[in-house]
Amino acid sequence: MREIFDAELRQVGEDLAEMSRLVESAITRAGKALLEADLELAQEVIASDKTIDQIEASLDERCVHILAQQAPVATDLRVVVSALRMSASLERMGDLARHVAQVARGRYPARAIVPAAEETFARMSEAAIRVAQRTTTLLTTRDLEVAAAIERDDDLLDELHAETFNKLLAPEWDGTVQEAIDITLVGRYYERFGDHGVSVAKRVTFLVTGDFAEDHLS
Amino acid sequence: MREIFDAELRQVGEDLAEMSRLVESAITRAGKALLEADLELAQEVIASDKTIDQIEASLDERCVHILAQQAPVATDLRVVVSALRMSASLERMGDLARHVAQVARGRYPARAIVPAAEETFARMSEAAIRVAQRTTTLLTTRDLEVAAAIERDDDLLDELHAETFNKLLAPEWDGTVQEAIDITLVGRYYERFGDHGVSVAKRVTFLVTGDFAEDHLS
């Protein structure tokens, strides 16, 4: 039994890491599509989100199967329940990358982000890519310093999100309403992306330390 | 064992219904706070979101406890795993009601929603309230006609969401950038609120029929 259980659990871990790698690829390409008005990349991101959804579905089925067949307790049970939660976060991160790509596609051949906000979004894109890369690293190494780095990048994303509003509300803002809508939505997508990365980071931290922070964790 | 299990499961069901009732109250008051610039109501919604989070946390612990102590299989297991998922959706619906209230509070004493978009948001508020009310009814009765009604109100929310962009992009739009930002964000919050209602509706439908729709379900 234990051998089967360990093999199943390993597969769950591999599925989570695979989802995270796909999210990393999606958010990287979505940022490039957004900032360079690259239609092909945008369409790739949109099309590939289905794969993330499929891995989530099979991972969730595997977790339910493990619960039914192995009736894990204590730490093992926490691992399985956490995997269910983390797969939901990763799936949502994939959706958010897709939403960024959809904005890029919707404005093509124009750029969705006006020059005045380009640098802010370039930095948001970089921070989000780091969150995704570190999420993959964290899931494969369980190194808690990586979890802390994810939280720092999430703080940076929050700051940059606030900066997007400052740009929009500055007296020198002279963009169109469509440009203001796009900045508002894409900023929100990046901000949420960071939140989900933190949610995964907190769940891994809990699994390693057994100590669950009081913060919101869904 | 079975008696304890049934009692535990009943408590999980009651906690979900209680979360849903609190969400219903929050989204009702948030809509009123938004449309009438009612600061007190907005603050109530913001403060009461903690209660929803607390019920979620205790419900989740109860589910993990049930899994550990009772090792349920088949339908019982699906009920517990679904409860974990539904509590996450309901918690998120509470967050979204809070976000609406935060916009209302941020603009007070002004109204966040300009007169040109008032009717659209009044209809969004009504549709979201119905989604929440029906979610409570669905959780307590498992009447699948109610699930279908939730999906219809979600479709309506999507339509009204599209309408908010039409208002913003119409030639006669003459609002400020702040007003455009608020409409964009609040519209998005209501749209996501509907999505989470549908997610709960689909999970209950699955539990009743055993037939899981292919759609995205996190």
Side-chain angles (χ1 to χ4, degrees):
Chain A
M1 278 299 256
R2 184 73 218 181
E3 258 172 55
I4 297 173
F5 182 74
D6 285 342
E8 292 261 31
L9 222 53
R10 214 160 31 237
Q11 187 58 50
V12 166
E14 279 166 25
D15 281 354
L16 285 172
E18 178 62 13
M19 283 183 82
S20 185
R21 276 188 289 268
L22 290 171
V23 165
E24 196 182 313
S25 163
I27 198 70
T28 303
R29 289 179 295 164
K32 203 169 147 63
L34 180 77
L35 292 162
E36 300 176 12
D38 187 326
L39 181 63
E40 207 175 314
L41 267 185
Q43 280 171 329
E44 275 176 36
V45 174
I46 295 162
S48 67
D49 188 42
K50 275 211 168 58
T51 312
I52 299 176
D53 294 352
Q54 282 159 358
I55 302 177
E56 190 210 11
S58 84
L59 190 155
D60 287 3
E61 274 311 299
R62 190 182 301 277
C63 288
V64 171
H65 183 79
I66 293 174
L67 292 171
Q69 299 291 312
Q70 312 274 344
V73 294
T75 306
D76 291 337
L77 175 57
R78 296 272 169 193
V79 168
V80 177
V81 172
S82 294
L84 283 169
R85 293 293 183 37
M86 292 193 283
S87 78
S89 290
L90 290 166
E91 189 275 336
R92 195 71 204 129
M93 290 166 92
D95 285 348
L96 291 163
R98 173 167 53 82
H99 289 337
V100 171
Q102 282 166 329
V103 171
R105 183 178 68 177
R107 294 310 148 252
Y108 180 84
R111 290 180 190 215
I113 303 302
V114 295
E118 236 176 64
E119 199 203 317
T120 308
F121 279 92
R123 293 182 65 208
M124 286 190 108
S125 169
E126 287 161 16
I129 293 168
R130 282 195 304 274
V131 165
Q133 288 170 336
R134 285 174 169 149
T135 300
T136 308
T137 306
L138 179 64
L139 286 167
T140 48
T141 66
R142 297 200 171 185
D143 174 353
L144 295 191
E145 285 189 24
V146 178
I150 290 172
E151 302 216 22
R152 285 195 299 275
D153 270 319
D154 178 56
D155 290 342
L156 176 58
L157 278 168
D158 289 345
E159 271 171 47
L160 292 167
H161 187 217
E163 198 175 296
T164 64
F165 292 124
N166 294 341
K167 299 268 179 198
L168 286 172
L169 296 170
E172 57 272 27
W173 169 259
D174 63 354
T176 64
V177 178
Q178 182 68 66
E179 287 160 351
I181 293 172
D182 289 341
I183 287 180
T184 303
L185 286 178
V186 177
R188 171 86 184 151
Y189 300 148
Y190 274 117
E191 188 250 330
R192 290 294 299 153
F193 189 93
D195 291 345
H196 286 289
V198 167
S199 170
V200 173
K202 287 194 170 153
R203 291 199 183 276
V204 173
T205 303
F206 171 58
L207 289 174
V208 173
T209 64
D211 183 25
F212 223 2
E214 274 300 295
D215 311 62
H216 162 68
L217 283 162
S218 322
Chain B
M1 276 300 257
R2 184 74 217 183
E3 258 172 55
I4 297 173
F5 181 74
D6 285 341
E8 291 264 29
L9 222 53
R10 213 160 30 238
Q11 187 58 50
V12 166
E14 278 167 24
D15 281 355
L16 284 173
E18 178 62 12
M19 283 183 82
S20 186
R21 277 188 288 269
L22 290 170
V23 165
E24 195 182 314
S25 162
I27 198 70
T28 303
R29 288 179 296 163
K32 203 168 146 66
L34 179 77
L35 292 162
E36 299 176 12
D38 187 325
L39 181 63
E40 206 175 314
L41 266 187
Q43 280 171 328
E44 275 176 36
V45 174
I46 295 162
S48 66
D49 188 43
K50 275 210 168 59
T51 312
I52 298 176
D53 294 352
Q54 283 160 357
I55 301 177
E56 189 209 11
S58 85
L59 190 156
D60 287 3
E61 275 311 300
R62 188 181 303 276
C63 288
V64 172
H65 183 80
I66 292 174
L67 291 171
Q69 299 290 311
Q70 312 274 345
V73 294
T75 305
D76 291 338
L77 175 57
R78 297 273 168 189
V79 169
V80 177
V81 172
S82 294
L84 282 169
R85 295 289 182 41
M86 292 192 283
S87 77
S89 289
L90 290 165
E91 189 276 336
R92 196 68 206 131
M93 290 166 93
D95 285 348
L96 291 164
R98 172 168 54 80
H99 290 335
V100 171
Q102 282 167 328
V103 171
R105 182 178 68 177
R107 295 311 148 250
Y108 181 84
R111 291 180 189 213
I113 303 301
V114 294
E118 236 177 65
E119 200 203 316
T120 307
F121 278 93
R123 293 183 64 205
M124 287 190 107
S125 169
E126 287 160 17
I129 293 167
R130 281 195 304 273
V131 165
Q133 289 170 336
R134 286 175 169 150
T135 300
T136 308
T137 306
L138 179 64
L139 287 166
T140 47
T141 66
R142 297 201 171 184
D143 174 353
L144 296 190
E145 284 188 26
V146 178
I150 290 172
E151 300 216 22
R152 283 195 300 275
D153 270 319
D154 178 55
D155 291 341
L156 176 58
L157 279 168
D158 290 345
E159 270 171 48
L160 292 166
H161 187 217
E163 195 174 299
T164 63
F165 292 124
N166 294 341
K167 300 265 181 201
L168 286 172
L169 297 169
E172 57 271 27
W173 170 258
D174 64 353
T176 65
V177 178
Q178 182 68 65
E179 287 160 351
I181 293 172
D182 289 341
I183 286 179
T184 303
L185 286 178
V186 176
R188 172 87 185 149
Y189 300 148
Y190 274 117
E191 189 251 329
R192 290 294 299 154
F193 189 92
D195 291 345
H196 286 290
V198 167
S199 171
V200 173
K202 286 195 170 152
R203 292 199 182 278
V204 174
T205 302
F206 171 57
L207 289 175
V208 173
T209 64
D211 182 26
F212 222 3
E214 276 298 295
D215 310 60
H216 163 68
L217 284 159
S218 322

